Amino acid sequence: MPALVLAGLVTFATRLSFIALLAHARTPPLLARALRLVPYAVLSAIILPELVVRDGAPHLAPDNLRLWAGVVAGGVALVTRNVLFTIAAGMGALWALQALAG
């Protein structure tokens, strides 16, 4: 138990140190612009392999239902710019395609 508490305190201290030290620091404009793109890059790196990779190999065939659902979700995202609508449309499309495919 003491090791768990110590690990929690060390984690808290390291995170707090960045917040405390950089709270009043000014971010250079170039870095701020680059950091705005990080969520898109991370999300793409997580989602894209789920859509196009099966058993360690690319699966871009027309029978890839996840890819089609991703296309639907991408279209909804472009039109609505709403995360909840995008998720709902992608999941709904995947479930509908899976039901149709049997």
Side-chain angles (χ1 to χ4, degrees), residues 10-94:
V10 168
T11 301
F12 178 76
T14 55
R15 292 180 184 199
L16 180 63
S17 66
F18 282 105
I19 294 170
L21 291 173
L22 300 176
H24 301 291
R26 196 150 175 240
T27 306
L30 182 62
L31 180 61
R33 276 197 342 237
L35 289 175
R36 282 196 306 249
L37 300 175
V38 168
Y40 302 109
V42 170
L43 194 58
S44 297
I46 292 170
I47 292 175
L48 192 63
E50 286 298 317
L51 297 179
V52 300
V53 176
R54 287 288 166 259
D55 298 324
H59 181 70
L60 300 174
D63 67 335
N64 184 349
L65 302 181
R66 289 178 184 242
L67 183 57
W68 287 111
V71 169
V72 169
V76 170
L78 285 173
V79 171
T80 66
R81 304 267 186 216
N82 185 305
V83 175
L84 293 177
F85 286 158
T86 301
I87 293 170
M91 287 306 300
L94 181 62

